[in-house]
Amino acid sequence: IGSPVSKITQPVKRNLSLNPSRSVDANEEVESLLVSRSRSNSSSSQSLSSRGGADEISLADRLKIGFYFGLWYALNVVYNIVNKKVLNVIPAPLTVGSIQFGIGATYAMLLWVTGLRATPKLTAKGKETCSKVGFYHASGQLFSMISLGAGPVSFTHIVKALEPFFSALVSAFVFRKWMKPQVYATLLPVVGGVGYACLKERSFSWLAFWFAMFSNVSFALRAVVSKQGMTSYIGENMNSVNLFAVVTVAAFLISVPVALVFEKTTFLGLWDKAVSGADAVTSSKQLIKTVILSGLAHYLNNEVMYLALGNVHPVTLAVGNTMKRVFIMVASVIVFRNPVSVQAGIGSAVGISGVLLYSLTKQYYEKLEKMEAAAAIAVKGKSGRKRRG
């Protein structure tokens, strides 16, 4: 699974410069943060906007992008389904989540040790920043695990469609960056759709609901910390996949004590019950394979995502993220046969459509702001030359 992914990106030494005044969209902003390193690895002759001196994308590039997106979606669906099966057998979400972080960290370190990928060398500032990002990455994922364990996969993803709403709040109250009213207006169908989908939902769970909300908050804060801390050089060989790998290692180290404190006495008992005795539902060997598969799928789906998004326009990014959630929800309903009411279906469609509309509208106005800023700089330059003349 790992070989085609691990050999694609090459290490670079670059500063990561971010605009702290730009609005934040939790997962999308961190994706953009990491994707910027993937894009920096491509020469100008390979960029999508200048290849061949035109905006045309070659057939080979289209096939590569299609492969990336297909693999990204497939790994995402596999992870959510396999992860839910593991949680159904071993309802210990903190320990399972920690093990999955550990599998991802082990995969990354094996690539470093074998020389298949250059080993990152962090500065003191880089270590501090990656530790902070790792904390919110760990908390967001562990909260998601609790939510997924407490209710259907489709329900958790309905609630997690509210991520842009929390991102907008963080952008306003942390960065003091207020967006256009039109952008905030697009959040109305997001909140309304999710609220309508949850109202009288037959599989509604307060535990799943609240921990999905906590996950939204953690991922929004993860984006904030990323933007605040990664504004300078943080180390050697810190391309997109290595940055995600370092954050995963940090998340693993942070999650282990949490799992030991809250589930130390229950996990081994649950494991023993699942693989032995009259109530056994699987073998120990099969369960180990399933847990390892869930960990690899979780890590690789993120790694492939950065490779995919590093080759597309931000609008494609927004559409891809939206459709990803749809694919996960549909696949989970088919596999687990969880009943979904018509009301939940309508609310989900409205909410997810609102997420797409929010992303596209936000990007549109950010583009306008950049154009206006560039025009103002150009006018100022002209006036300065006239005065000197």
Side-chain angles (χ1 to χ4, degrees), residues 23-25 164-165 167-168 171 177-190 354-369:
S23 58
V24 180
D25 186 1
F165 174 75
S167 299
S171 177
K177 171 66 177 177
W178 294 90
M179 297 178 286
K180 299 288 185 181
Q182 294 90 330
V183 178
Y184 289 113
T186 61
L187 290 172
L188 293 177
V190 177
V355 171
L356 177 59
L357 183 61
Y358 165 80
S359 298
L360 298 178
T361 305
K362 182 165 69 73
Q363 289 168 9
Y364 172 76
Y365 282 104
E366 285 174 351
K367 184 178 179 180
L368 283 184
E369 288 178 2

Side-chain angles (χ1 to χ4, degrees), residues 99-119:
I99 292 172
Q100 289 172 352
F101 280 137
I103 292 169
T106 302
Y107 168 82
M109 288 188 287
L110 284 174
L111 294 179
W112 295 333
V113 171
T114 57
L116 293 174
R117 183 174 296 162
T119 304

Side-chain angles (χ1 to χ4, degrees), residues 214-244:
F214 294 155
S215 176
N216 288 338
V217 174
S218 288
F219 284 133
L221 290 171
R222 179 187 68 174
V224 173
V225 173
S226 299
K227 286 183 71 93
Q228 288 178 332
M230 296 183 183
T231 55
S232 59
Y233 181 71
I234 61 173
E236 296 181 14
N237 304 324
M238 291 300 289
N239 56 12
S240 61
V241 288
N242 265 352
L243 181 55
F244 178 68

Side-chain angles (χ1 to χ4, degrees), residues 22-36:
R22 185 169 174 243
S23 58
V24 180
D25 186 1
N27 282 333
E28 181 180 324
E29 193 66 32
V30 174
E31 288 157 8
S32 299
L33 170 73
L34 298 177
V35 165
S36 65

Side-chain angles (χ1 to χ4, degrees), residues 325-367:
R325 202 174 296 281
V326 174
F327 270 81
I328 293 171
M329 292 171 64
V330 171
S332 68
V333 169
I334 293 173
V335 172
F336 297 108
R337 301 184 182 279
N338 294 318
V340 177
S341 64
V342 175
Q343 178 173 321
I346 294 173
S348 301
V350 172
I352 291 174
S353 298
V355 171
L356 177 59
L357 183 61
Y358 165 80
S359 298
L360 298 178
T361 305
K362 182 165 69 73
Q363 289 168 9
Y364 172 76
Y365 282 104
E366 285 174 351
K367 184 178 179 180

Side-chain angles (χ1 to χ4, degrees), residues 137-314:
H137 182 60
S139 60
Q141 180 62 19
L142 293 181
F143 287 149
S144 293
M145 292 290 290
I146 296 173
S147 177
L148 288 166
V153 174
S154 56
F155 177 79
T156 295
H157 282 278
I158 289 173
V159 180
K160 284 179 69 63
L162 281 172
E163 282 179 6
F165 174 75
F166 289 95
S167 299
L169 292 179
V170 169
S171 177
F173 292 106
V174 176
F175 281 138
R176 304 296 178 184
K177 171 66 177 177
W178 294 90
M179 297 178 286
K180 299 288 185 181
Q182 294 90 330
V183 178
Y184 289 113
T186 61
L187 290 172
L188 293 177
V190 177
V191 177
V194 171
Y196 184 73
C198 293
L199 187 65
K200 297 182 180 179
E201 169 58 22
R202 65 186 68 180
S203 16
F204 183 88
S205 163
W206 280 111
L207 183 63
F209 174 81
W210 282 115
F211 276 94
M213 295 286 275
F214 294 155
S215 176
N216 288 338
V217 174
S218 288
F219 284 133
L221 290 171
R222 179 187 68 174
V224 173
V225 173
S226 299
K227 286 183 71 93
Q228 288 178 332
M230 296 183 183
T231 55
S232 59
Y233 181 71
I234 61 173
E236 296 181 14
N237 304 324
M238 291 300 289
N239 56 12
S240 61
V241 288
N242 265 352
L243 181 55
F244 178 68
V246 171
V247 169
T248 299
V249 172
F252 170 63
L253 296 176
I254 292 168
S255 64
V256 168
V258 177
L260 290 176
V261 168
F262 290 99
E263 294 177 349
K264 177 182 178 181
T265 58
T266 59
F267 177 75
L268 293 178
L270 291 170
W271 183 284
D272 186 61
K273 181 180 178 181
V275 300
S276 62
D279 297 327
V281 294
T282 185
S283 66
S284 182
K285 184 178 180 181
Q286 184 60 40
L287 187 54
I288 291 173
K289 288 181 179 179
T290 306
V291 172
I292 292 175
L293 176 60
S294 71
L296 282 175
H298 174 254
Y299 184 86
L300 290 176
N301 102 76
N302 285 282
E303 184 163 295
V304 173
M305 173 188 67
Y306 300 133
L307 297 175
L309 302 183
N311 288 273
V312 297
H313 190 275

